[in-house]
Amino acid sequence: MKISVKFGTIKTEDAEILVFYLYEGMKIMDKSLAYCDKALHNSISELIKKKEFIARLNKTIALPTYGKIPAKRILLVGLGKKKEATLDKIRQAAGTTVSIVRDMGISEGVVVVMSSIDISASLSEECQAYVEGARLALYKYHRYKYIPPEEQQELTTLTLFLSNGDAAKTVRNAVTCGQIIADAVSFTRDLINTPSQDKTPVILADYAVKIAKEYGMQCKVISLPELKKLGMGGLVGVSLGSVQSPKFIILDYNARAKNQDTLVFIGKGITFDSGGICLKQAKDMDQMKSDMSGAAAVMGAIMALSKMKAPQRIVGLMPCTENMPGGSAMKPGDIVKFYSGKTAEVVNTDAEGRLILADALAYAENYHPQAVIDLATLTGSCVVALGTVVTGMMGNNEELKKRVQIAGEKSWERVWELPLWEEYQEQIKSDIADIKNVGGPHGGAITAACFLSKFAEKYPWVHLDIAGTAWCEKNGAYTQKGASGVGVRLLVQLVRDWAKFPGKNSL
Ligand code: BES
Ligand code: MN
Ligand code: ZN
């Protein structure tokens, strides 16, 4: 869908459909809508007065205009209560709008009157959120499914209509950013929704090489012989049970600006998690193709940031492998030695994410980063603790946690902190190795982070457990059953706001 921006007055717009937004319990405030109402003999205000249309969030009603104005139809979309308005409700309302309009069989001539969305955010934030919601709502994963032509109804163009006084340049820029972000999220969703057979570590590495070429980044892929030489025993160990060879993918976006900060993003890239020798049960095991959601989010975020020409150096580290129970698989009781030199007793082969992340976290030191953030579908325990609404956050630096928390609020990919206190470290002590990879039945999300913290001692670090947020059980206003693409918007927001905080080494 192409999104264009237009400035002027709607009086002469001969659109297929004019879209307005309304707040619950409020009269018509928008001048353009008041004009249409008058032209239609107050039929819109009557609807509202008689409560035939209540502007609850995502509620809609379409009206014909019978030639009273050049536009053929009017669509009213609810935004809910004005005092509860957020940018995410704009995303949702945008998603609802495009889905409804598409299902009405309209493919172009949709004109959205932006002045009717009036919340306390800036116009550019509103436009960006609108574009994100609209684009993401139309996301589909149909790579393997035949869709009959009559069901291939697509909305091809959408016009954001603004009043003449609005700053054209900022608005256009916001629309472009929204598109870049939505494209990156869609890319990430595609990778996650792809079956494991078609996204082996080798295939993911090929994607990364392609992206790097396209967007002018460096890409390095470390393969098995070198992984062994480097001593990445975690990644190598997890890969032993699979016939697919592991890859450690490095995407390096380097703006080469003066005094730039270096940020490292690490993504868990388990392309299928069977549990290994500690095999998972069959129920919902198919969902474990999504155990590379962290890596996919990192790839998507870096792609977006390179398109936006972020002034920082951003390095993505993506350790990728399957976790399978093959004949040469790692066994419970085995000990692995990581890139840092530390050792861990593998009590449970299903706690594999922390093993591959340990190598990546240790490797991150080579970049002398100002901050490191890892994203991982790490523990079922995090889902038990926080559900599927919010991402679990743990880390070793208050300022960085604060920044991530703020970026989470802004992007509406919110995070909630769990404590990473000393006392929990007890649980991962081992008798025969430096640590063990499971901390017992209690506080599993936290003890997993404790494990990671042993490899992230040299820099400010935040760990995001996205096990609950990476996958949607059902459709939402701008999400579909399947991959959510969580993390992309959060990371992009974090980097875009990075410079607003005090400079280098400020953490
Ligand atoms: N990938 C899983 C975590 C997961 C579970 C992600 C559900 C998404 C949805 C991870 O590798 C895992 O298996 N974790 C174990 C750890 C346990 C063995 C200590 C878990 O959470 O059960
Ligand atoms: Mn596992
Ligand atoms: Zn896993």
Side-chain angles (χ1 to χ4, degrees), residues 326-502:
S328 49
M330 205 167 51
K331 295 166 288 292
D334 283 358
I335 290 177
V336 294
K337 186 170 182 180
F338 300 101
Y339 182 73
S340 69
K342 286 198 173 89
T343 59
E345 185 185 356
V346 180
V347 176
N348 188 319
T349 62
D350 198 11
E352 84 296 341
R354 64 202 78 184
L355 302 178
I356 66 168
L357 292 171
D359 281 329
L361 285 162
Y363 192 81
E365 272 177 35
N366 294 329
Y367 297 92
H368 307 287
Q370 271 63 52
V372 176
I373 297 179
D374 78 73
L375 292 92
T377 45
L378 202 63
T379 65
S381 194
C382 189
V383 194
V384 173
L386 298 176
T388 56
V389 173
V390 70
T391 292
M393 172 175 76
M394 285 143 276
N396 64 10
N397 183 287
E398 293 304 317
E399 170 70 19
L400 183 60
K401 280 189 285 190
K402 184 87 202 137
R403 291 185 189 193
V404 172
Q405 191 258 328
I406 293 171
E409 289 291 328
K410 280 203 189 177
S411 60
W412 213 248
E413 292 190 333
R414 291 168 296 172
V415 302
W416 195 259
E417 188 178 3
L418 298 173
L420 195 58
W421 293 329
E422 272 295 317
E423 287 86 336
Y424 291 101
Q425 299 282 356
E426 280 296 312
Q427 287 176 238
I428 56 163
K429 283 191 174 151
S430 163
D431 295 332
I432 58 168
D434 297 334
I435 42 175
K436 60 180 178 183
N437 78 334
V438 174
H442 306 308
I446 298 171
T447 51
C450 284
F451 188 97
L452 300 181
S453 73
K454 302 283 188 202
F455 303 88
E457 288 167 338
K458 302 268 169 65
Y459 43 68
W461 158 76
V462 156
H463 158 62
L464 298 173
D465 193 330
I466 56 170
T469 47
W471 192 261
C472 304
E473 294 292 345
K474 53 183 195 321
N475 296 341
Y478 63 88
T479 51
Q480 294 77 14
K481 215 171 144 184
S484 67
V486 77
V488 175
R489 286 183 0 234
L490 172 83
L491 290 177
V492 170
Q493 189 66 49
L494 179 82
V495 174
R496 288 179 81 197
D497 286 345
W498 194 258
K500 290 186 192 146
F501 294 96

Side-chain angles (χ1 to χ4, degrees), residues 273 275 280 291 323 350-352:
D273 183 10
K280 286 180 184 295
D291 213 19
N323 184 25
D350 198 11
E352 84 296 341

Side-chain angles (χ1 to χ4, degrees), residues 4-166:
S4 57
V5 183
K6 200 169 167 185
F7 297 87
T9 157
I10 55 109
K11 290 180 189 172
T12 50
E13 273 306 297
D14 59 346
E16 279 295 316
I17 191 159
L18 269 185
V19 187
F20 291 97
Y21 295 86
L22 280 167
Y23 288 100
E24 193 178 328
M26 277 173 69
K27 288 190 302 212
I28 294 172
M29 305 294 279
D30 185 64
K31 278 191 197 132
S32 308
L33 184 54
Y35 169 81
C36 294
D37 184 37
K38 210 165 160 203
L40 297 173
H41 310 299
N42 302 324
S43 56
I44 300 171
S45 41
E46 284 294 310
L47 274 179
I48 297 169
K49 209 159 91 195
K50 291 187 183 149
K51 297 207 158 74
E52 279 163 26
F53 177 68
I54 300 173
R56 294 203 179 97
L57 182 62
N58 297 327
K59 292 289 172 226
T60 61
I61 192 167
L63 315 163
T65 60
Y66 302 113
K68 303 269 193 289
I69 56 171
K72 284 202 193 107
R73 276 162 287 202
I74 285 179
L75 180 71
L76 304 177
V77 183
L79 278 173
K81 297 207 169 70
K82 179 142 192 185
K83 62 174 190 304
E84 293 165 9
T86 59
L87 281 173
D88 197 63
K89 289 185 182 167
I90 296 183
R91 255 179 228 111
Q92 292 187 39
T96 302
T97 304
V98 295
S99 307
I100 290 268
V101 167
R102 176 199 51 203
D103 294 346
M104 287 168 80
I106 298 172
S107 60
E108 49 190 22
V110 183
V111 176
V112 176
V113 184
M114 288 304 285
S115 57
S116 63
I117 304 174
D118 172 32
I119 72 169
S120 51
S122 70
L123 181 63
S124 71
E125 282 176 313
E126 288 173 15
C127 289
Q128 184 192 315
Y130 195 94
V131 172
E132 288 173 8
R135 281 244 179 167
L136 291 175
L138 298 179
Y139 173 84
K140 282 194 206 105
Y141 187 68
H142 282 167
R143 183 169 161 191
Y144 301 87
K145 192 173 165 70
Y146 171 72
I147 308 293
E150 63 273 19
E151 283 175 32
Q152 286 183 21
Q153 184 64 50
E154 289 293 345
L155 179 58
T156 53
T157 63
L158 182 82
T159 305
L160 302 190
F161 205 90
L162 290 119
S163 58
N164 269 329
D166 295 328

